[in-house]
Amino acid sequence: MDDDLPRPRGDAASLLAKEDLSPYSQDELTERIALLEAEIARIKAHHDKAAAHRSAADALFGSPKS
């Protein structure tokens, strides 16, 4: 399934992790943290929704064989 393949290394999270944070003020860093925490919550909610969908499909059609 394509969803199980790793994302390319150039994705947004990888680019953010490489960014130099030294130009940012403390206020800008605090704002950035809040935005990233909100994004983490959004991703977790989507992950939970996808897991529930997958679980329902597995229950209906059976688990895929490895």
Side-chain angles (χ1 to χ4, degrees), residues 54 62-66:
R54 175 72 179 259
S63 296
K65 303 287 186 223
S66 296

Side-chain angles (χ1 to χ4, degrees), residues 8-66:
R9 285 252 180 222
D11 69 1
S14 296
L15 296 174
L16 279 174
K18 295 176 186 176
E19 185 178 357
D20 179 16
L21 299 175
S22 59
Y24 291 96
S25 69
Q26 287 184 326
D27 288 341
E28 290 170 324
L29 290 170
T30 299
E31 183 178 338
R32 185 181 176 115
I33 289 167
L35 289 170
L36 291 169
E37 287 174 340
E39 178 62 2
I40 290 167
R42 185 179 79 91
I43 292 167
K44 285 182 177 181
H46 182 74
H47 180 272
D48 293 347
K49 182 179 172 183
H53 185 260
R54 175 72 179 259
S55 181
D58 287 347
L60 184 60
F61 300 110
S63 296
K65 303 287 186 223
S66 296

